[in-house]
Every structure is written in C-alpha cells, then in structure tokens.
C-alpha cells in the first residue's frame, strides 16, 4: 500500500501545543479501554469494515510486522506492528504485543500489549493505551465481520466449535453473540482440560439456553461444527486430515498455524491481506511453499464485501486474518475519542521536555 496522505482528522485537540507549549500525552489504562468498548460491538465491527475498505482503496500503510524472538524462550515472542490509517481516522502508530504461553501456567494471561498513537501532522505520540483488550477486540470484530459476510445469502451455522479457549475465544464469542449469531450447540476443545472446563463455565453463565459440549479430541469437534474458531497458540499445523472437513464448515482461522497445507489447499481461502498472511510460516505460507504459487488464495475480505469474490458453499471456506496493525489503530483511536468525549483523559504533565532546538535562554552559561 502507498503511504498515507496528509490527514486533517488526527486528534488535533489532544496534540496541539497550547500557547506554544509542549504537545500533550495521555495514558489510557485497561479499565478505561474496556469501559470505552463495552456494548459497542456492532459499532466496532463497522469500524473494522471501514478500515478494511480503506486498506483496499490504498488509504493505509501497513508494513510487515517485526518479530522479536528469544533463544531461551523459543515459544515466546514480542511483535511490533507499525501502521498508518488515513481518511477520517487519520492516525499513525504502533502496537507492541507479546505472546508468552508459559504465563498461563503461572495464572497470567498469555498476551500483553500497548498501543502508541501518533499525530499524523507532527509525528508526536499523543497516547499510550493498554492494548491486550484492543488486540482481542479487533481480532474478534474482524472474525465476526468475516463470518457475517462469508455466509451472506445462506443460512448461518447453528453449531460452533472453539479450538483454543483463551481471551480471544471469549471475546470472539461475545462479538458473535452481539452481532446476532445464535447457536444450538457450542463445542469446546483445548489441550488443557481445565481450560476447556473453565470456558464451558463462562459459556453457560453467559448463554444458559445453549448446549455446551466439551470434545476430548480435535476430530470430534471439527466434524460436529458448522462454524469453527481456531484460537490457539500453535506454532505448527496440528490438523492434517481434509476428510474432517467433508461437511464444508466455515473456519475462522485466527491463530493462523493450525491447519496443514493439505487442508488449506482443498478450501476456499479468504484473507485480510495476501502478502501479510503468506509469511512467517503460517499455514498459508506453508501451502505456498508446497505448491509454489498463491493460486489457492481466492481473495481478501474486502473483495468479499465488494462482491468481487463469492465463496463456493460446496467447499470449506477458511478465513485467515493475519491481524493488521491498521485495525489496532482504528479501534484504538475509537477508544481514545470515547475517553475524550467522556472527559476522563489522563494526560501526563511535562511528558515532552526538550521542546526548543537550542535550549532556553535562561539555560545559557
């Protein structure tokens, strides 16, 4: 995508220097982020849809993500996602998100994140937001949007299966429910039986009318689900048999590395961005390496929304979103604007200190 042009909507009230003073800088903690997003699921799905359209129209810049890995923690990583969104959003920035799976054994969430928002006119950062919630929300809103658009013109699935039951799965269930999805049965499978039991308890509290069933093995979950959500921490494919998908479910492959190339190559594949999804040894990247081309990728979600791509109902459809930084920025800016409207923005006095090129006159010796 080409760089974003000059924006006229990049939070000028927050960034502008009052009377020639320093720009302001705010910190928005997790509690404020959660409050700003609560009950706004449909609105956030619309934010994500608009951002995808802008991306397709070249009004964003979304460079490759940068991975920090550790020799002593090969299953852990920290990822930097720089991005820029033009149009009415008009903001630049970066998400810094960590994934440390061993945290779960210590009773801590696997992922943590911060999001920095920068003013497009000056480059100055104007806010730092707790972003694990934003990460979960933009992922869930993207998946809910895809589920809706990929089932347009046909009956929505009534049996959903969750493979992996962490924070993303919980938020994704919330977003599906809030955007009108109703299920007769919810299937659950996780390698950790305690996690599966805990997620079942969450589902029974929030949707007591729906039957919740824990599956002891992956094949049973896949075969009994018409809508599948993969939200695991898998680093390599672990679902290999295309025959499990003979009933042609819709698959939300948000964790990107669960499906073997054999499964991918027999499906209709929709992504959020082709170049991003076919890198870093994702399932689609492995499929590309196996066949030497990208012909098995049928298009993007923007193509589906625009009517350029229509999935074949007689094939399994797999939506694989890499998770674009532009979505974090768009959702983060929506959070920031809501906190400003609420009058509860917490700014840090004097955050920017050196604001004159040669120092103040009083500092001369």
């Amino acid at each position: 995508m080409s760089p974003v042009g000059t924006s006229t909507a990049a939070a000028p009230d927050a960034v502008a220097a009052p009377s020639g003073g320093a720009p302001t800088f705010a910190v928005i903690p997790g509690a404020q982020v959660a409050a700003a997003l609560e009950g706004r699921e449909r609105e956030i799905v619309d934010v994500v849809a608009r951002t995808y359209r802008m991306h397709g129209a070249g009004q964003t810049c979304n460079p490759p993500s940068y991975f920090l890995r550790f020799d002593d923690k090969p299953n852990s990583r920290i990822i930097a996602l720089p991005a820029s969104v033009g149009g009415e959003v008009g903001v630049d920035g970066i998400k810094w998100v960590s994934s440390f799976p061993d945290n779960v054994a210590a009773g801590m969430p696997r992922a943590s994140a911060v999001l920095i928002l920068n003013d497009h006119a000056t480059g100055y950062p104007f806010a730092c937001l707790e972003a694990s919630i934003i990460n979960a929300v933009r992922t869930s809103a993207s998946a809910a949007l895809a589920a809706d658009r990929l089932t347009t013109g046909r009956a929505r699935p009534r049996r959903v299966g969750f493979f992996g039951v962490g924070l993303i799965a919980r938020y994704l269930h919330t977003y599906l429910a809030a955007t009108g999805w109703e299920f007769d049965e919810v299937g659950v499978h996780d390698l950790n039986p305690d996690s599966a039991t805990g997620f079942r308890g969450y589902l029974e509290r929030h949707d007591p009318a729906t039957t919740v069933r824990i599956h002891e093995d992956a094949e049973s979950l896949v075969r009994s689900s018409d809508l599948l959500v993969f939200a695991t921490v898998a680093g390599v494919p672990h679902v290999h048999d295309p025959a499990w998908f003979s009933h042609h479910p819709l698959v939300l492959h948000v964790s990107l590395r669960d499906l073997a190339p054999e499964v991918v190559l027999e499906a209709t594949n929709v992504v959020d961005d082709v170049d991003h999804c076919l890198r870093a040894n994702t399932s689609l990247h492995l499929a590309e390496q196996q066949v030497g081309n990208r012909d098995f990728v049928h298009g993007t979600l923007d193509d589906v929304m625009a009517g350029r791509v229509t999935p074949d109902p007689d094939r399994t459809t797999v939506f694989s979103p890499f998770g674009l930084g532009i979505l974090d920025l768009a959702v983060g800016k929506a959070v920031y604007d809501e906190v400003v409207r609420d009058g509860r923005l917490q700014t840090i006095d004097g955050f920017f200190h050196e604001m004159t090129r040669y120092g103040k006159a009083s500092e001369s010796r």
Side-chain angles (χ1 to χ4, degrees), residues 95-107:
K95 183 177 71 173
W96 182 239
V97 55
S98 69
S99 174
F100 279 55
D102 292 345
N103 286 352
V104 176

Side-chain angles (χ1 to χ4, degrees), residues 29-30 36 44 78 83 123 128 142 154 193 217 230-231 296 310 319 360 364:
I44 297 302
I78 307 179
C128 175
S142 168
R154 46 183 163 144
D217 62 274
F230 283 92
F296 60 89
T310 301
F319 175 60
K360 298 179 182 179
S364 61

Side-chain angles (χ1 to χ4, degrees), residues 43 45-55 88 305:
E43 180 182 346
V45 169
D46 288 342
V47 167
V48 167
R50 289 196 299 271
T51 306
Y52 277 140
R53 292 191 194 99
M54 292 170 66
H55 189 57
E88 62 183 15
M305 291 192 293

